[in-house]
Amino acid sequence: EVQLAESGGGLVKPGGSLRLSCAASGFTFSTYSMNWVRQAPGKGLEWVSIISGSSAYIYYADSVKGRFTISRDNAKNSLYLQMNSLRAEDTAVYYCARSMVGPTSDYWGQGTLVTVSS
Amino acid sequence: EIVLTQSPATLSLSPGERATLSCRASQSVSSYLAWYQQKPGQAPRLLIYDASNRATGIPARFSGSGSGTDFTLTISSLEPEDFAVYYCQQGRNWGTFGHGTKVEIK
């Protein structure tokens, strides 16, 4: 059974940093691209970033480019999102999701809440 | 950036009725269009990928159609568990989502 479990969310001040993790199990992690998608409270979904299985290809939404860094450790079946220079508008539930093809995601974690507030 | 416009914003229907949801892209996305269902407090669930292919385990009452800029998600006969928010997502130029259509009980 495919399982994805995010962790690392919490309260952080504007300008601060946070690192999210996603532990994957139930599939051959290294052969799948992975996405991060976020959802601000009461709002819609926003695709954030994608990383290929080998980390050769990485893309970001314009809203996070230059501030967020996606990475993975295939030996640990783990996906990461390093978030720097956080802003109030980054407040959201962050989901990791397995890519079926590109940004289309067939399995999702339950999400971790990031709150950026002073 | 490709913008996806979903309509209507809210659809009020009764169980057993047919639901037709629209997603229009600001430029062609070919068939790179997916549909998701999301219930309160839950992660999204993939329903349809590549415009018309049902994801694993999705009931046949869900169908998708369209290509280019105009897409439709149809639920042939609403079940109680289908009342939720539905999002489209394009995969032509990274994964922008539409703003969602809420299907509510009339």
Side-chain angles (χ1 to χ4, degrees):
Chain A
E1 179 191 5
V2 172
Q3 293 192 340
L4 299 167
E6 303 91 340
S7 60
L11 176 63
V12 61
K13 289 181 168 53
S17 298
L18 211 56
R19 188 194 196 206
L20 305 183
S21 299
C22 172
S25 61
F27 64 103
T28 306
F29 182 69
S30 62
T31 65
Y32 285 87
S33 296
M34 296 293 295
N35 289 294
W36 285 102
V37 177
R38 68 183 180 182
Q39 186 169 35
K43 303 298 184 183
L45 300 167
E46 180 185 15
W47 173 80
V48 172
S49 183
I50 186 170
I51 184 169
S52 64
S54 65
S55 304
Y57 300 100
I58 289 174
Y59 297 95
Y60 299 97
D62 287 344
S63 58
V64 306
K65 202 174 295 182
R67 300 187 299 123
F68 289 13
T69 302
I70 192 172
S71 62
R72 64 191 296 159
D73 185 336
N74 288 340
K76 295 182 177 179
N77 287 347
S78 293
L79 174 72
Y80 306 101
L81 187 67
Q82 177 66 43
M83 304 186 296
N84 298 331
S85 303
L86 283 162
R87 307 166 179 166
E89 54 265 34
D90 296 318
T91 294
V93 173
Y94 285 74
Y95 296 100
C96 71
R98 190 180 81 168
S99 168
M100 166 180 273
V101 55
T104 302
S105 299
D106 57 355
Y107 287 93
W108 297 63
Q110 282 306 301
T112 187
L113 176 62
V114 172
T115 303
V116 183
S117 174
S118 55
Chain B
E1 178 186 335
I2 296 175
V3 176
L4 298 180
T5 301
Q6 291 189 242
S7 61
T10 304
L11 198 52
S12 298
L13 294 169
S14 300
E17 290 193 293
R18 182 184 188 90
T20 303
L21 287 66
S22 174
C23 177
R24 178 165 290 179
S26 58
Q27 61 188 102
S28 177
V29 298
S30 185
S31 294
Y32 301 117
L33 197 287
W35 291 94
Y36 299 86
Q37 176 194 69
Q38 189 179 33
K39 297 179 182 179
Q42 296 185 16
R45 173 193 182 196
L46 178 66
L47 300 175
I48 301 288
Y49 66 94
D50 291 347
S52 61
N53 296 296
R54 271 190 302 276
T56 303
I58 301 304
R61 64 181 181 273
F62 291 92
S63 63
S65 63
S67 66
T69 60
D70 290 298
F71 300 87
T72 300
L73 174 69
T74 301
I75 311 171
S76 60
S77 178
L78 283 164
E79 296 288 340
E81 61 268 28
D82 298 336
F83 292 92
V85 179
Y86 293 82
Y87 294 94
C88 57
Q89 182 195 30
Q90 61 85 15
R92 177 69 176 84
N93 184 14
W94 304 116
T96 48
F97 288 89
H99 287 101
T101 291
K102 181 179 181 180
V103 178
E104 65 177 21
I105 299 176
K106 186 174 182 180

